[in-house]
């Protein structure tokens, strides 16, 4: 365990993960049911006390925050503001620069992998040089090892599961083939993803087959349900270049919401120019609407500062001219409204809204439920 970890706590993960038939196991402690967002998490009995000056979004029921006057320490909290564990910040980057999100019960932060108990495994603990987190959705950790002397160096790449067991042992040929895809993907880059036993490396446009260890230029893998899409002439492409949505078939289509395809759906926005009205709905990859498009009252999509965010279940709109936010569920039902001054950015993940207000050097962070009730 590294000296930078201030506190290591024991958690109790008790409830079953109803969405899976088989229980998952904590990577470090062997406890069951770590994946469930409803898991019972034992905390320190302390709540965060102070202004939040930096924060990650919530994921699997937990988030990382830093507090005013104590930015050198990072707190892992639950959705009630209870401190689950804390540790020293060992990175030069802020939490919102490196997405510190839990996936399959673990998170990538401080260059290490930590579980929900605050236990950390650093690359050197398992004999490698660097961890990469962009395959954690599939329960895999990309690892590289570089060894060198005065005259030469050896670079190897392998794949571990979240128990730190080798799925694909370190191999120099793998590193050589995939090196170009590592640098754009080191911090959960949206261009890299895991799906259907493949890891896709956008930087070198290669697919790594987890079962065979083979690298290929193309594959007919199924698109993950949470993927960043690219818009070109009203055609939405996935990172591999495959057409996902041909929006040209829709009348009055304007664009999609932040190019976010999650839970198999993407928000779409329409404009009826004759009436000067805007409408929105959710659609799947077949452009089947979840509900008839709903009018966006008092919303001016032409404002460059407006945004729409979607976490696969909830949608949040921000209208800059009125400083107003609105939230909806995936049935199109209005959940709440909020007026916020000096809003810098906003996010919604894991059913929790994170709003960032203030200028570059004076930002404050506040978490809300999906009806804009402060959660603590």
């Amino acid at each position: 365990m590294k000296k930078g970890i201030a506190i290591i706590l024991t958690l109790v993960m008790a409830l079953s993960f109803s969405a899976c038939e088989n229980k998952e196991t904590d990577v470090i402690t062997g406890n069951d049911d770590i994946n469930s967002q409803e898991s019972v998490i034992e905390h320190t009995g302390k709540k965060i006390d102070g202004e939040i000056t930096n924060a990650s979004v919530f994921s699997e029921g937990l988030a990382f925050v830093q507090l005013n006057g104590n930015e050198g320490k990072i707190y892992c909290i639950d959705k009630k503001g209870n401190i689950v564990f804390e540790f020293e910040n060992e990175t030069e980057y802020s939490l919102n620069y490196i997405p510190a999100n839990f996936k399959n019960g673990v998170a990538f932060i401080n260059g290490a992998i930590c579980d929900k108990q605050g236990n950390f495994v650093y690359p050197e603990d398992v004999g490698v040089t660097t961890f990469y987190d962009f395959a954690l959705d599939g329960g895999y950790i990309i690892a590289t090892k570089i060894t060198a002397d005065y005259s030469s160096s050896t670079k190897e790449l392998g794949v571990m599961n979240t128990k730190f067991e080798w799925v694909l042992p370190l191999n120099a040929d793998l590193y050589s083939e995939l090196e170009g895809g590592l640098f754009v993907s080191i911090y959960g880059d949206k261009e890299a993803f895991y799906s259907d036993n493949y890891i896709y490396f956008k930087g070198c446009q290669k697919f790594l087959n987890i079962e065979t260890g083979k690298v290929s230029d193309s594959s007919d893998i199924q698109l993950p349900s949470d993927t960043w899409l690219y818009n070109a002439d009203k055609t939405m492409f996935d990172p591999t270049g495959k057409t996902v949505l041909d929006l040209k078939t829709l009348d009055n289509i304007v664009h999609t919401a932040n190019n976010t395809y999650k839970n198999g759906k993407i928000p779409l926005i329409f404009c009826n120019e004759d009436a000067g009205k805007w409408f929105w709905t959710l659609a799947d990859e077949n452009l089947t609407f979840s509900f008839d498009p709903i009018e966006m009252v008092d919303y001016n999509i032409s404002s460059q500062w407006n945004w729409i965010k979607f976490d696969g279940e909830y949608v949040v709109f921000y209208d800059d001219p009125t400083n107003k936010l609105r939230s909806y569920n995936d049935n199109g039902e209005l959940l709440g409204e909020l007026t916020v001054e000096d809003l810098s950015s906003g996010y919604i993940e894991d059913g929790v809204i994170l709003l960032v207000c203030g200028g570059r050097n004076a930002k404050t962070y506040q978490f809300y439920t999906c009806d804009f009730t402060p959660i603590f």
Side-chain angles (χ1 to χ4, degrees), residues 158-189:
V159 180
M160 296 176 164
N161 61 26
T162 51
K163 297 179 183 178
F164 298 93
E165 301 166 336
W166 288 108
V167 178
L168 295 175
L170 289 167
N171 184 291
D173 290 338
L174 281 182
Y175 190 100
S176 177
E177 289 187 274
L178 299 171
E179 180 178 9
L182 292 175
F183 300 104
V184 298
S185 308
I186 187 169
Y187 295 127
D189 194 288

PDB file of all heavy atoms in Angstrom, residues 158-189:
ATOM      1  N   GLY A 158      -0.050  -5.955 -22.140  1.00  0.00           N
ATOM      2  CA  GLY A 158      -0.875  -7.105 -21.799  1.00  0.00           C
ATOM      3  C   GLY A 158      -2.217  -6.640 -21.257  1.00  0.00           C
ATOM      4  O   GLY A 158      -2.467  -5.439 -21.102  1.00  0.00           O
ATOM      5  N   VAL A 159      -3.091  -7.584 -20.975  1.00  0.00           N
ATOM      6  CA  VAL A 159      -4.426  -7.291 -20.461  1.00  0.00           C
ATOM      7  C   VAL A 159      -4.677  -8.116 -19.208  1.00  0.00           C
ATOM      8  O   VAL A 159      -4.461  -9.332 -19.208  1.00  0.00           O
ATOM      9  CB  VAL A 159      -5.510  -7.604 -21.513  1.00  0.00           C
ATOM     10  CG1 VAL A 159      -6.894  -7.289 -20.953  1.00  0.00           C
ATOM     11  CG2 VAL A 159      -5.266  -6.817 -22.792  1.00  0.00           C
ATOM     12  N   MET A 160      -5.127  -7.438 -18.141  1.00  0.00           N
ATOM     13  CA  MET A 160      -5.491  -8.088 -16.883  1.00  0.00           C
ATOM     14  C   MET A 160      -6.997  -7.992 -16.680  1.00  0.00           C
ATOM     15  O   MET A 160      -7.651  -7.093 -17.215  1.00  0.00           O
ATOM     16  CB  MET A 160      -4.809  -7.391 -15.698  1.00  0.00           C
ATOM     17  CG  MET A 160      -3.308  -7.467 -15.670  1.00  0.00           C
ATOM     18  SD  MET A 160      -2.683  -6.486 -14.263  1.00  0.00           S
ATOM     19  CE  MET A 160      -1.004  -7.130 -14.178  1.00  0.00           C
ATOM     20  N   ASN A 161      -7.536  -8.911 -15.864  1.00  0.00           N
ATOM     21  CA  ASN A 161      -8.893  -8.703 -15.380  1.00  0.00           C
ATOM     22  C   ASN A 161      -8.824  -7.877 -14.101  1.00  0.00           C
ATOM     23  O   ASN A 161      -7.733  -7.491 -13.655  1.00  0.00           O
ATOM     24  CB  ASN A 161      -9.631 -10.030 -15.179  1.00  0.00           C
ATOM     25  CG  ASN A 161      -8.942 -10.930 -14.152  1.00  0.00           C
ATOM     26  OD1 ASN A 161      -8.230 -10.463 -13.258  1.00  0.00           O
ATOM     27  ND2 ASN A 161      -9.144 -12.228 -14.286  1.00  0.00           N
ATOM     28  N   THR A 162      -9.953  -7.589 -13.496  1.00  0.00           N
ATOM     29  CA  THR A 162      -9.952  -6.727 -12.318  1.00  0.00           C
ATOM     30  C   THR A 162      -9.579  -7.468 -11.033  1.00  0.00           C
ATOM     31  O   THR A 162      -9.688  -6.912  -9.945  1.00  0.00           O
ATOM     32  CB  THR A 162     -11.318  -6.035 -12.146  1.00  0.00           C
ATOM     33  OG1 THR A 162     -12.361  -7.004 -12.191  1.00  0.00           O
ATOM     34  CG2 THR A 162     -11.536  -5.000 -13.235  1.00  0.00           C
ATOM     35  N   LYS A 163      -9.129  -8.701 -11.177  1.00  0.00           N
ATOM     36  CA  LYS A 163      -8.487  -9.408 -10.065  1.00  0.00           C
ATOM     37  C   LYS A 163      -6.966  -9.381 -10.239  1.00  0.00           C
ATOM     38  O   LYS A 163      -6.251 -10.028  -9.489  1.00  0.00           O
ATOM     39  CB  LYS A 163      -8.979 -10.851  -9.989  1.00  0.00           C
ATOM     40  CG  LYS A 163     -10.467 -10.997  -9.700  1.00  0.00           C
ATOM     41  CD  LYS A 163     -10.865 -12.472  -9.681  1.00  0.00           C
ATOM     42  CE  LYS A 163     -12.356 -12.629  -9.469  1.00  0.00           C
ATOM     43  NZ  LYS A 163     -12.762 -14.069  -9.495  1.00  0.00           N
ATOM     44  N   PHE A 164      -6.516  -8.647 -11.266  1.00  0.00           N
ATOM     45  CA  PHE A 164      -5.098  -8.508 -11.603  1.00  0.00           C
ATOM     46  C   PHE A 164      -4.474  -9.846 -12.012  1.00  0.00           C
ATOM     47  O   PHE A 164      -3.301 -10.105 -11.759  1.00  0.00           O
ATOM     48  CB  PHE A 164      -4.317  -7.836 -10.469  1.00  0.00           C
ATOM     49  CG  PHE A 164      -4.803  -6.438 -10.205  1.00  0.00           C
ATOM     50  CD1 PHE A 164      -5.771  -6.193  -9.245  1.00  0.00           C
ATOM     51  CD2 PHE A 164      -4.327  -5.377 -10.950  1.00  0.00           C
ATOM     52  CE1 PHE A 164      -6.251  -4.919  -9.029  1.00  0.00           C
ATOM     53  CE2 PHE A 164      -4.797  -4.093 -10.746  1.00  0.00           C
ATOM     54  CZ  PHE A 164      -5.757  -3.856  -9.778  1.00  0.00           C
ATOM     55  N   GLU A 165      -5.299 -10.652 -12.663  1.00  0.00           N
ATOM     56  CA  GLU A 165      -4.829 -11.883 -13.291  1.00  0.00           C
ATOM     57  C   GLU A 165      -4.665 -11.622 -14.785  1.00  0.00           C
ATOM     58  O   GLU A 165      -5.489 -10.953 -15.409  1.00  0.00           O
ATOM     59  CB  GLU A 165      -5.844 -13.013 -13.074  1.00  0.00           C
ATOM     60  CG  GLU A 165      -6.116 -13.315 -11.607  1.00  0.00           C
ATOM     61  CD  GLU A 165      -7.344 -14.189 -11.414  1.00  0.00           C
ATOM     62  OE1 GLU A 165      -8.215 -14.191 -12.314  1.00  0.00           O
ATOM     63  OE2 GLU A 165      -7.422 -14.855 -10.373  1.00  0.00           O
ATOM     64  N   TRP A 166      -3.590 -12.157 -15.348  1.00  0.00           N
ATOM     65  CA  TRP A 166      -3.319 -11.916 -16.759  1.00  0.00           C
ATOM     66  C   TRP A 166      -4.319 -12.653 -17.638  1.00  0.00           C
ATOM     67  O   TRP A 166      -4.472 -13.865 -17.537  1.00  0.00           O
ATOM     68  CB  TRP A 166      -1.907 -12.327 -17.120  1.00  0.00           C
ATOM     69  CG  TRP A 166      -0.858 -11.404 -16.573  1.00  0.00           C
ATOM     70  CD1 TRP A 166       0.008 -11.642 -15.561  1.00  0.00           C
ATOM     71  CD2 TRP A 166      -0.592 -10.070 -17.023  1.00  0.00           C
ATOM     72  NE1 TRP A 166       0.802 -10.547 -15.332  1.00  0.00           N
ATOM     73  CE2 TRP A 166       0.459  -9.572 -16.223  1.00  0.00           C
ATOM     74  CE3 TRP A 166      -1.126  -9.258 -18.015  1.00  0.00           C
ATOM     75  CZ2 TRP A 166       0.979  -8.284 -16.381  1.00  0.00           C
ATOM     76  CZ3 TRP A 166      -0.612  -7.981 -18.188  1.00  0.00           C
ATOM     77  CH2 TRP A 166       0.427  -7.509 -17.378  1.00  0.00           C
ATOM     78  N   VAL A 167      -5.012 -11.927 -18.484  1.00  0.00           N
ATOM     79  CA  VAL A 167      -5.858 -12.506 -19.521  1.00  0.00           C
ATOM     80  C   VAL A 167      -5.041 -12.683 -20.792  1.00  0.00           C
ATOM     81  O   VAL A 167      -5.099 -13.721 -21.447  1.00  0.00           O
ATOM     82  CB  VAL A 167      -7.083 -11.604 -19.783  1.00  0.00           C
ATOM     83  CG1 VAL A 167      -7.938 -12.176 -20.910  1.00  0.00           C
ATOM     84  CG2 VAL A 167      -7.904 -11.430 -18.510  1.00  0.00           C
ATOM     85  N   LEU A 168      -4.273 -11.654 -21.112  1.00  0.00           N
ATOM     86  CA  LEU A 168      -3.285 -11.716 -22.192  1.00  0.00           C
ATOM     87  C   LEU A 168      -1.959 -11.270 -21.593  1.00  0.00           C
ATOM     88  O   LEU A 168      -1.796 -10.094 -21.249  1.00  0.00           O
ATOM     89  CB  LEU A 168      -3.676 -10.795 -23.356  1.00  0.00           C
ATOM     90  CG  LEU A 168      -4.962 -11.140 -24.111  1.00  0.00           C
ATOM     91  CD1 LEU A 168      -5.261 -10.063 -25.156  1.00  0.00           C
ATOM     92  CD2 LEU A 168      -4.847 -12.507 -24.776  1.00  0.00           C
ATOM     93  N   PRO A 169      -0.996 -12.170 -21.421  1.00  0.00           N
ATOM     94  CA  PRO A 169       0.282 -11.808 -20.789  1.00  0.00           C
ATOM     95  C   PRO A 169       1.018 -10.729 -21.575  1.00  0.00           C
ATOM     96  O   PRO A 169       0.760 -10.499 -22.763  1.00  0.00           O
ATOM     97  CB  PRO A 169       1.060 -13.130 -20.794  1.00  0.00           C
ATOM     98  CG  PRO A 169       0.025 -14.194 -20.917  1.00  0.00           C
ATOM     99  CD  PRO A 169      -1.067 -13.599 -21.752  1.00  0.00           C
ATOM    100  N   LEU A 170       1.938 -10.067 -20.898  1.00  0.00           N
ATOM    101  CA  LEU A 170       2.748  -9.039 -21.536  1.00  0.00           C
ATOM    102  C   LEU A 170       3.418  -9.573 -22.796  1.00  0.00           C
ATOM    103  O   LEU A 170       3.953 -10.688 -22.805  1.00  0.00           O
ATOM    104  CB  LEU A 170       3.803  -8.526 -20.560  1.00  0.00           C
ATOM    105  CG  LEU A 170       3.293  -7.667 -19.399  1.00  0.00           C
ATOM    106  CD1 LEU A 170       4.379  -7.491 -18.357  1.00  0.00           C
ATOM    107  CD2 LEU A 170       2.802  -6.315 -19.905  1.00  0.00           C
ATOM    108  N   ASN A 171       3.367  -8.748 -23.840  1.00  0.00           N
ATOM    109  CA  ASN A 171       3.865  -9.202 -25.142  1.00  0.00           C
ATOM    110  C   ASN A 171       4.400  -7.995 -25.911  1.00  0.00           C
ATOM    111  O   ASN A 171       3.703  -6.989 -26.071  1.00  0.00           O
ATOM    112  CB  ASN A 171       2.716  -9.866 -25.912  1.00  0.00           C
ATOM    113  CG  ASN A 171       3.145 -10.448 -27.230  1.00  0.00           C
ATOM    114  OD1 ASN A 171       3.484  -9.709 -28.150  1.00  0.00           O
ATOM    115  ND2 ASN A 171       3.113 -11.768 -27.331  1.00  0.00           N
ATOM    116  N   ALA A 172       5.620  -8.092 -26.401  1.00  0.00           N
ATOM    117  CA  ALA A 172       6.234  -6.983 -27.132  1.00  0.00           C
ATOM    118  C   ALA A 172       5.533  -6.735 -28.465  1.00  0.00           C
ATOM    119  O   ALA A 172       5.417  -5.582 -28.915  1.00  0.00           O
ATOM    120  CB  ALA A 172       7.717  -7.263 -27.352  1.00  0.00           C
ATOM    121  N   ASP A 173       5.060  -7.785 -29.127  1.00  0.00           N
ATOM    122  CA  ASP A 173       4.384  -7.613 -30.403  1.00  0.00           C
ATOM    123  C   ASP A 173       3.081  -6.836 -30.240  1.00  0.00           C
ATOM    124  O   ASP A 173       2.727  -6.003 -31.085  1.00  0.00           O
ATOM    125  CB  ASP A 173       4.110  -8.972 -31.043  1.00  0.00           C
ATOM    126  CG  ASP A 173       5.382  -9.657 -31.530  1.00  0.00           C
ATOM    127  OD1 ASP A 173       6.381  -8.952 -31.760  1.00  0.00           O
ATOM    128  OD2 ASP A 173       5.367 -10.892 -31.651  1.00  0.00           O
ATOM    129  N   LEU A 174       2.339  -7.104 -29.142  1.00  0.00           N
ATOM    130  CA  LEU A 174       1.105  -6.370 -28.890  1.00  0.00           C
ATOM    131  C   LEU A 174       1.382  -4.892 -28.708  1.00  0.00           C
ATOM    132  O   LEU A 174       0.655  -4.031 -29.211  1.00  0.00           O
ATOM    133  CB  LEU A 174       0.383  -6.923 -27.653  1.00  0.00           C
ATOM    134  CG  LEU A 174      -0.428  -8.197 -27.828  1.00  0.00           C
ATOM    135  CD1 LEU A 174      -1.107  -8.578 -26.516  1.00  0.00           C
ATOM    136  CD2 LEU A 174      -1.469  -8.034 -28.933  1.00  0.00           C
ATOM    137  N   TYR A 175       2.440  -4.577 -27.965  1.00  0.00           N
ATOM    138  CA  TYR A 175       2.776  -3.161 -27.760  1.00  0.00           C
ATOM    139  C   TYR A 175       3.096  -2.506 -29.094  1.00  0.00           C
ATOM    140  O   TYR A 175       2.634  -1.399 -29.382  1.00  0.00           O
ATOM    141  CB  TYR A 175       3.969  -3.018 -26.809  1.00  0.00           C
ATOM    142  CG  TYR A 175       4.203  -1.584 -26.366  1.00  0.00           C
ATOM    143  CD1 TYR A 175       3.756  -1.138 -25.129  1.00  0.00           C
ATOM    144  CD2 TYR A 175       4.840  -0.671 -27.200  1.00  0.00           C
ATOM    145  CE1 TYR A 175       3.944   0.172 -24.731  1.00  0.00           C
ATOM    146  CE2 TYR A 175       5.032   0.639 -26.818  1.00  0.00           C
ATOM    147  CZ  TYR A 175       4.586   1.058 -25.576  1.00  0.00           C
ATOM    148  OH  TYR A 175       4.766   2.362 -25.191  1.00  0.00           O
ATOM    149  N   SER A 176       3.855  -3.174 -29.906  1.00  0.00           N
ATOM    150  CA  SER A 176       4.241  -2.613 -31.201  1.00  0.00           C
ATOM    151  C   SER A 176       3.028  -2.348 -32.077  1.00  0.00           C
ATOM    152  O   SER A 176       2.943  -1.307 -32.749  1.00  0.00           O
ATOM    153  CB  SER A 176       5.206  -3.570 -31.912  1.00  0.00           C
ATOM    154  OG  SER A 176       5.542  -3.090 -33.188  1.00  0.00           O
ATOM    155  N   GLU A 177       2.058  -3.261 -32.057  1.00  0.00           N
ATOM    156  CA  GLU A 177       0.884  -3.115 -32.902  1.00  0.00           C
ATOM    157  C   GLU A 177      -0.087  -2.062 -32.395  1.00  0.00           C
ATOM    158  O   GLU A 177      -0.788  -1.417 -33.177  1.00  0.00           O
ATOM    159  CB  GLU A 177       0.156  -4.456 -33.019  1.00  0.00           C
ATOM    160  CG  GLU A 177       0.883  -5.504 -33.840  1.00  0.00           C
ATOM    161  CD  GLU A 177       0.043  -6.743 -34.052  1.00  0.00           C
ATOM    162  OE1 GLU A 177       0.067  -7.636 -33.188  1.00  0.00           O
ATOM    163  OE2 GLU A 177      -0.651  -6.802 -35.086  1.00  0.00           O
ATOM    164  N   LEU A 178      -0.143  -1.877 -31.059  1.00  0.00           N
ATOM    165  CA  LEU A 178      -1.179  -1.036 -30.469  1.00  0.00           C
ATOM    166  C   LEU A 178      -0.660   0.261 -29.866  1.00  0.00           C
ATOM    167  O   LEU A 178      -1.434   1.052 -29.336  1.00  0.00           O
ATOM    168  CB  LEU A 178      -1.930  -1.825 -29.387  1.00  0.00           C
ATOM    169  CG  LEU A 178      -2.643  -3.087 -29.886  1.00  0.00           C
ATOM    170  CD1 LEU A 178      -3.168  -3.898 -28.717  1.00  0.00           C
ATOM    171  CD2 LEU A 178      -3.779  -2.711 -30.836  1.00  0.00           C
ATOM    172  N   GLU A 179       0.629   0.499 -29.950  1.00  0.00           N
ATOM    173  CA  GLU A 179       1.227   1.676 -29.315  1.00  0.00           C
ATOM    174  C   GLU A 179       0.545   2.966 -29.744  1.00  0.00           C
ATOM    175  O   GLU A 179       0.299   3.862 -28.930  1.00  0.00           O
ATOM    176  CB  GLU A 179       2.715   1.748 -29.638  1.00  0.00           C
ATOM    177  CG  GLU A 179       3.410   2.949 -29.014  1.00  0.00           C
ATOM    178  CD  GLU A 179       4.897   2.970 -29.315  1.00  0.00           C
ATOM    179  OE1 GLU A 179       5.357   2.147 -30.141  1.00  0.00           O
ATOM    180  OE2 GLU A 179       5.606   3.799 -28.724  1.00  0.00           O
ATOM    181  N   GLY A 180       0.204   3.071 -31.015  1.00  0.00           N
ATOM    182  CA  GLY A 180      -0.420   4.292 -31.508  1.00  0.00           C
ATOM    183  C   GLY A 180      -1.783   4.567 -30.922  1.00  0.00           C
ATOM    184  O   GLY A 180      -2.282   5.689 -31.006  1.00  0.00           O
ATOM    185  N   GLY A 181      -2.418   3.565 -30.322  1.00  0.00           N
ATOM    186  CA  GLY A 181      -3.731   3.756 -29.728  1.00  0.00           C
ATOM    187  C   GLY A 181      -3.700   4.048 -28.251  1.00  0.00           C
ATOM    188  O   GLY A 181      -4.743   4.313 -27.647  1.00  0.00           O
ATOM    189  N   LEU A 182      -2.524   4.011 -27.644  1.00  0.00           N
ATOM    190  CA  LEU A 182      -2.445   4.211 -26.198  1.00  0.00           C
ATOM    191  C   LEU A 182      -2.524   5.681 -25.803  1.00  0.00           C
ATOM    192  O   LEU A 182      -3.155   6.029 -24.816  1.00  0.00           O
ATOM    193  CB  LEU A 182      -1.144   3.612 -25.654  1.00  0.00           C
ATOM    194  CG  LEU A 182      -1.037   2.091 -25.707  1.00  0.00           C
ATOM    195  CD1 LEU A 182       0.352   1.653 -25.261  1.00  0.00           C
ATOM    196  CD2 LEU A 182      -2.101   1.450 -24.837  1.00  0.00           C
ATOM    197  N   PHE A 183      -1.917   6.535 -26.568  1.00  0.00           N
ATOM    198  CA  PHE A 183      -1.753   7.913 -26.122  1.00  0.00           C
ATOM    199  C   PHE A 183      -3.050   8.707 -26.180  1.00  0.00           C
ATOM    200  O   PHE A 183      -3.228   9.640 -25.416  1.00  0.00           O
ATOM    201  CB  PHE A 183      -0.661   8.591 -26.944  1.00  0.00           C
ATOM    202  CG  PHE A 183       0.662   7.899 -26.794  1.00  0.00           C
ATOM    203  CD1 PHE A 183       1.152   7.085 -27.798  1.00  0.00           C
ATOM    204  CD2 PHE A 183       1.393   8.021 -25.624  1.00  0.00           C
ATOM    205  CE1 PHE A 183       2.372   6.424 -27.648  1.00  0.00           C
ATOM    206  CE2 PHE A 183       2.600   7.362 -25.469  1.00  0.00           C
ATOM    207  CZ  PHE A 183       3.093   6.569 -26.485  1.00  0.00           C
ATOM    208  N   VAL A 184      -3.969   8.352 -27.069  1.00  0.00           N
ATOM    209  CA  VAL A 184      -5.256   9.040 -27.085  1.00  0.00           C
ATOM    210  C   VAL A 184      -6.242   8.397 -26.121  1.00  0.00           C
ATOM    211  O   VAL A 184      -7.335   8.892 -25.934  1.00  0.00           O
ATOM    212  CB  VAL A 184      -5.892   9.028 -28.495  1.00  0.00           C
ATOM    213  CG1 VAL A 184      -5.010   9.749 -29.479  1.00  0.00           C
ATOM    214  CG2 VAL A 184      -6.178   7.612 -28.965  1.00  0.00           C
ATOM    215  N   SER A 185      -5.854   7.301 -25.494  1.00  0.00           N
ATOM    216  CA  SER A 185      -6.810   6.521 -24.711  1.00  0.00           C
ATOM    217  C   SER A 185      -6.431   6.372 -23.250  1.00  0.00           C
ATOM    218  O   SER A 185      -7.084   5.657 -22.511  1.00  0.00           O
ATOM    219  CB  SER A 185      -6.956   5.120 -25.328  1.00  0.00           C
ATOM    220  OG  SER A 185      -7.239   5.198 -26.695  1.00  0.00           O
ATOM    221  N   ILE A 186      -5.389   7.041 -22.787  1.00  0.00           N
ATOM    222  CA  ILE A 186      -4.869   6.757 -21.461  1.00  0.00           C
ATOM    223  C   ILE A 186      -5.838   7.141 -20.352  1.00  0.00           C
ATOM    224  O   ILE A 186      -5.869   6.514 -19.304  1.00  0.00           O
ATOM    225  CB  ILE A 186      -3.506   7.458 -21.252  1.00  0.00           C
ATOM    226  CG1 ILE A 186      -2.888   7.012 -19.920  1.00  0.00           C
ATOM    227  CG2 ILE A 186      -3.632   8.974 -21.309  1.00  0.00           C
ATOM    228  CD1 ILE A 186      -1.446   7.446 -19.762  1.00  0.00           C
ATOM    229  N   TYR A 187      -6.670   8.157 -20.574  1.00  0.00           N
ATOM    230  CA  TYR A 187      -7.568   8.600 -19.520  1.00  0.00           C
ATOM    231  C   TYR A 187      -9.025   8.477 -19.940  1.00  0.00           C
ATOM    232  O   TYR A 187      -9.778   9.440 -19.944  1.00  0.00           O
ATOM    233  CB  TYR A 187      -7.252  10.033 -19.102  1.00  0.00           C
ATOM    234  CG  TYR A 187      -5.890  10.179 -18.476  1.00  0.00           C
ATOM    235  CD1 TYR A 187      -4.986  11.118 -18.943  1.00  0.00           C
ATOM    236  CD2 TYR A 187      -5.503   9.353 -17.423  1.00  0.00           C
ATOM    237  CE1 TYR A 187      -3.733  11.233 -18.364  1.00  0.00           C
ATOM    238  CE2 TYR A 187      -4.251   9.463 -16.845  1.00  0.00           C
ATOM    239  CZ  TYR A 187      -3.372  10.409 -17.320  1.00  0.00           C
ATOM    240  OH  TYR A 187      -2.135  10.520 -16.745  1.00  0.00           O
ATOM    241  N   GLY A 188      -9.430   7.277 -20.311  1.00  0.00           N
ATOM    242  CA  GLY A 188     -10.828   7.033 -20.617  1.00  0.00           C
ATOM    243  C   GLY A 188     -11.323   7.820 -21.822  1.00  0.00           C
ATOM    244  O   GLY A 188     -12.453   8.272 -21.856  1.00  0.00           O
ATOM    245  N   ASP A 189     -10.478   8.001 -22.811  1.00  0.00           N
ATOM    246  CA  ASP A 189     -10.854   8.768 -23.985  1.00  0.00           C
ATOM    247  C   ASP A 189     -12.108   8.189 -24.626  1.00  0.00           C
ATOM    248  O   ASP A 189     -12.279   6.980 -24.712  1.00  0.00           O
ATOM    249  CB  ASP A 189      -9.707   8.742 -25.003  1.00  0.00           C
ATOM    250  CG  ASP A 189      -9.881   9.779 -26.090  1.00  0.00           C
ATOM    251  OD1 ASP A 189     -10.759   9.581 -26.938  1.00  0.00           O
ATOM    252  OD2 ASP A 189      -9.145  10.768 -26.060  1.00  0.00           O
TER     253      ASP A 189
END
